[in-house]
Amino acid sequence: RLLAVMRDNRIDLYRLNSSQMADPLKVMNPETRDEMNCLVKTISIQSPFNLSCSVISDDGKFLAASDAVSLYIFSLDIKEEDGMLEVRPTKLGLGVECKHPATALQFDDNRRLICATNNGPINILKISSVPETDLSDKSSHKVSLEHVFNEHTVDWSATSHHLPIVSLGLSPDGKWLAACRFSSGKGAVHVFNLPTSNDNEFFKHWWSVPEMDAPTTCIKFLGGGSVEPSLAVGCSNNEFYVYNLGRRSLSHWSNDMGLPLLKSLPKELTSRSEPVARILSNPSTPQRFILGSHGYFCVVDLDQPVPERSSMFPLDHLRAKRLQLIKEDDMPRPPGEKRKSHDAPVTNSNFTICLRYSEIMFQDFIAENEMVIVEEPWMSILEEMPDPLARRVY
């Protein structure tokens, strides 16, 4: 298993060994990985521009990256000898129609690369194997343009400004594709239908999600297996909505919660200044998902009632105590009554907020009941900065 980390002009590949946490109860004791010991390969990309997005396929056989001027695709030949992992990247040749720079990338399970281009359209690139008798360019794969989605750009006026697509999402069955932009207007999230190897469907634009209360920040398909896929959309004010794709409408859960949803969610979540940056779902629990930000994440269970207050983990964390003091100061008290040391305990574990991690750069599930979190401590950032021009002594 490989984890790809994008830098300014290179992609670092890290090896993730199999987790030893077979017991789900051991999740409270996460296993740490040393960055230098896990590094197996660095792929440098010669370009005067910084990389803007990258993605690695689920099987680890392909890697794609893009900067402001071009798209790059590599095939990865992975071999393991004596416990050491060797990765040999091969850059694939791209035609003019396939080189367009992208703002978001996503691989599916059918060797297709989905590219949200910087000028609006979404290109679907097909990666196919080349017979050994036709290896003229010494590459065992060729890339071709299979389809272009333009339906979501037909109503764009020439004078209006439209933000680029920043996030792509695929449903667990590979039949649905969602594209998200940082906008609150209609068209911030589009849903497309993709053909799979098991049916005779075609590429088509399915739906444009209605206007939101706040700009959208992330998307995620929920469900899988016997559960019908649905789309969760997170907003910058920390509210989220769940949509039923078949009906092209809000799900029963979102309708029951009422509109706007912000009034029905715990204040510990909605009052945070850090917006939701990602939504991730455990494959083994389709009705549960996690709202992730840079300094916390919140566990949501759609089958459980929404509490008035969210519990914190760990309870003795400094940020949890600070939030508790702010809440108590905001509560009106009769004259002469002293502030209570604590409120009533929270009995519902739904919407629990975890504060154990900070400066989260990446967070996602890589297998059932197995999640990876990548942190970047502030001290390591400060060490790379130049010396200060002045230092104030307090």
Side-chain angles (χ1 to χ4, degrees):
R1 299 183 299 179
L2 293 178
L3 175 68
V5 177
M6 183 182 69
R7 311 293 184 179
D8 53 354
N9 59 355
R10 72 181 193 273
I11 305 292
D12 291 335
L13 299 180
Y14 296 89
R15 181 180 185 180
L16 299 178
N17 295 326
S18 299
S19 175
Q20 302 299 323
M21 297 185 300
D23 187 357
L25 297 178
K26 294 182 180 180
V27 71
M28 308 306 292
N29 300 312
E31 301 178 8
T32 59
R33 296 286 187 268
D34 184 77
E35 180 178 351
M36 298 308 299
N37 294 336
C38 296
L39 180 64
V40 295
K41 186 67 177 180
T42 296
I43 302 176
S44 299
I45 298 178
Q46 302 298 328
S47 173
F49 302 95
N50 292 342
L51 297 177
S52 57
C53 58
S54 66
V55 67
I56 189 171
S57 60
D58 290 340
D59 56 8
K61 294 183 178 180
F62 298 98
L63 172 71
S66 178
D67 57 16
V69 296
S70 182
L71 175 69
Y72 310 91
I73 303 178
F74 300 87
S75 62
L76 304 179
D77 184 16
I78 304 175
K79 295 182 180 180
E80 183 176 2
E81 295 182 1
D82 300 331
M84 300 297 294
L85 200 65
E86 181 181 3
V87 180
R88 296 180 180 178
T90 302
K91 186 178 179 180
L92 303 183
L94 301 179
V96 177
E97 70 279 2
C98 300
K99 282 187 175 182
H100 204 91
T103 57
L105 299 168
Q106 179 69 51
F107 280 105
D108 68 357
D109 295 334
N110 297 313
R111 286 198 172 185
R112 287 190 296 228
L113 175 62
I114 304 167
C115 309
T117 60
N118 57 3
N119 63 346
I122 300 177
N123 294 342
I124 309 296
L125 306 184
K126 181 67 174 180
I127 303 177
S128 55
S129 301
V130 176
E132 296 182 359
T133 57
D134 191 24
L135 297 179
S136 56
D137 56 352
K138 298 182 180 180
S139 177
S140 58
H141 299 88
K142 67 176 181 179
V143 182
S144 59
L145 181 62
E146 186 175 7
H147 185 76
V148 178
F149 283 117
N150 284 304
E151 294 86 347
H152 59 293
T153 64
V154 293
D155 57 345
W156 286 6
S157 60
T159 58
S160 63
H161 175 70
H162 293 271
L163 299 175
I165 294 173
V166 295
S167 179
L168 294 171
L170 280 173
S171 61
D173 56 8
K175 294 183 178 180
W176 300 100
L177 167 68
C180 168
R181 298 186 297 116
F182 287 148
S183 174
S184 59
K186 181 177 176 59
V189 178
H190 286 271
V191 182
F192 307 88
N193 190 244
L194 301 179
T196 63
S197 58
N198 299 326
D199 53 47
N200 295 322
E201 295 183 356
F202 301 95
F203 294 98
K204 62 181 177 181
H205 179 267
W206 180 254
W207 187 38
S208 177
V209 175
E211 185 175 351
M212 299 283 187
D213 300 329
T216 57
T217 57
C218 52
I219 52 176
K220 181 66 177 181
F221 282 98
L222 309 178
S226 58
V227 181
E228 184 180 2
S230 57
L231 179 65
V233 180
C235 301
S236 60
N237 59 354
N238 287 344
E239 68 178 354
F240 63 92
Y241 293 93
V242 182
Y243 294 92
N244 183 284
L245 300 179
R247 300 196 309 267
R248 294 187 177 97
S249 64
L250 285 170
S251 66
H252 295 303
W253 185 90
S254 293
N255 281 322
D256 293 342
M257 292 297 296
L259 298 176
L261 184 62
L262 194 67
K263 298 180 180 180
S264 303
L265 297 178
K267 186 178 180 181
E268 288 81 359
L269 173 64
T270 58
S271 63
R272 305 194 70 86
S273 59
E274 304 165 279
V276 173
R278 63 188 68 89
I279 302 176
L280 46 150
S281 176
N282 189 348
S284 63
T285 54
Q287 293 299 322
R288 297 180 183 179
F289 58 92
I290 293 178
L291 302 173
S293 184
H294 301 290
Y296 72 93
F297 62 85
C298 178
V299 182
V300 179
D301 190 342
L302 298 180
D303 289 337
Q304 298 296 326
V306 178
E308 295 183 359
R309 293 174 43 213
S310 292
S311 57
M312 300 290 175
F313 178 85
L315 292 175
D316 56 349
H317 196 280
L318 178 61
R319 286 186 289 166
K321 295 180 179 179
R322 188 180 303 164
L323 181 61
Q324 181 70 25
L325 293 175
I326 295 176
K327 286 168 46 184
E328 293 175 351
D329 288 339
D330 292 341
M331 294 178 59
R333 299 186 301 273
E337 181 179 343
K338 296 183 179 180
R339 185 178 62 190
K340 296 181 181 180
S341 59
H342 61 276
D343 293 331
V346 180
T347 57
N348 190 346
S349 61
N350 197 14
F351 281 84
T352 296
I353 297 178
C354 179
L355 302 173
R356 170 175 286 183
Y357 308 96
S358 59
E359 288 78 50
I360 301 175
M361 299 176 58
F362 173 82
Q363 180 183 7
D364 202 357
F365 283 92
I366 59 174
E368 291 188 0
N369 302 318
E370 190 173 356
M371 183 173 64
V372 172
I373 296 178
V374 179
E375 296 179 283
E376 180 70 21
W378 269 113
M379 290 305 300
S380 63
I381 299 177
L382 293 177
E383 291 175 355
E384 297 181 359
M385 298 181 66
D387 295 334
L389 298 179
R391 184 185 300 273
R392 186 181 298 273
V393 180
Y394 294 92

